[in-house]
Amino acid sequence: GAPHLAGVLERRAAIELDPAARKRRLGEAARLHEQRGDVAAAIGAWQALRTAEEGDAEALGELARLYEATGQGAELVGALAERARFAEAPAERATLWARVGGLRLGQDDVEGAAEAYREALEGAPDALAIEVLESLETIEEKREDWTSLQEILMRRLGATQGAAQLPVLFKLAKNAETRLEDVDQASGYLRQVLEVDERNAQAYAELERVLRGGERWYDLVDVLTKHADGEALAGRRESCIICTKF
């Protein structure tokens, strides 16, 4: 029957010198075990192939599937991490490391998750890179590593454009002011907001408050003047628009 045949295949594989033939026999044995519901034996066969052929994508993929199906979280992470290390395509490698990061975070392995997410950043497509950076942002806030948070936010800023940069710039300003206690950095980020959106009321209010708190009176006068000039110009524009309607 199937158990006997699977055993024969595994014994032959153990003495097989040809890697391709060994792989074929162990794969067949694993599938026979799984077909008759012996998942542990199937895992054993794939594990034998993994040991013989380090980084084998098929063995690691099958092991990951079986570990996930049987709720073996630590083993799943190990298989995915090994597959990520041997993956040649940058996008595949990034996707695998991002998954490892998510799983480690779910297991409260914050340090391991951060390490995996940082690996994922290399070669990650833009959409995945933004997701990974958001996850790293959450991790650095948990770890209260404000310098690393600033670095992650800067990378997020570089991955976005236009209006999408505004919330990141506000976060950078808040982190610089309240955690790094760096008035110059904080005011610099708020000025960048105004470069993107010259009438942003929140940026003006924050910038004026930061400069007052830091007793940067010369800079404060400059900002207040620009704010007033901007409002006056906007008011004149609105008046002109109203005039043309009548």
Side-chain angles (χ1 to χ4, degrees), residues 90-157:
E92 182 194 5
R93 182 180 177 280
T95 301
L96 286 164
W97 276 124
R99 192 170 172 212
V100 169
L103 288 165
R104 284 178 177 170
L105 200 55
Q107 295 166 357
D108 289 327
D109 179 5
V110 177
E111 295 294 328
E115 184 184 316
Y117 279 130
R118 286 181 183 277
E119 288 280 359
L121 282 177
E122 290 185 35
D126 290 347
L128 178 60
I130 290 169
E131 285 178 30
V132 168
L133 287 167
E134 286 173 354
S135 298
L136 278 168
E137 183 185 331
T138 303
I139 286 170
E140 300 306 353
E141 284 178 346
K142 273 187 181 180
R143 296 202 296 191
E144 297 186 358
D145 185 341
W146 309 127
T147 304
S148 292
L149 176 60
Q150 200 78 347
E151 176 209 328
I152 294 302
L153 288 169
M154 285 299 296
R155 291 188 75 160
R156 271 195 71 189
L157 186 67

Side-chain angles (χ1 to χ4, degrees), residues 161-168 196:
Q161 291 182 340
Q165 292 185 320
L166 299 185
V168 185
V196 178

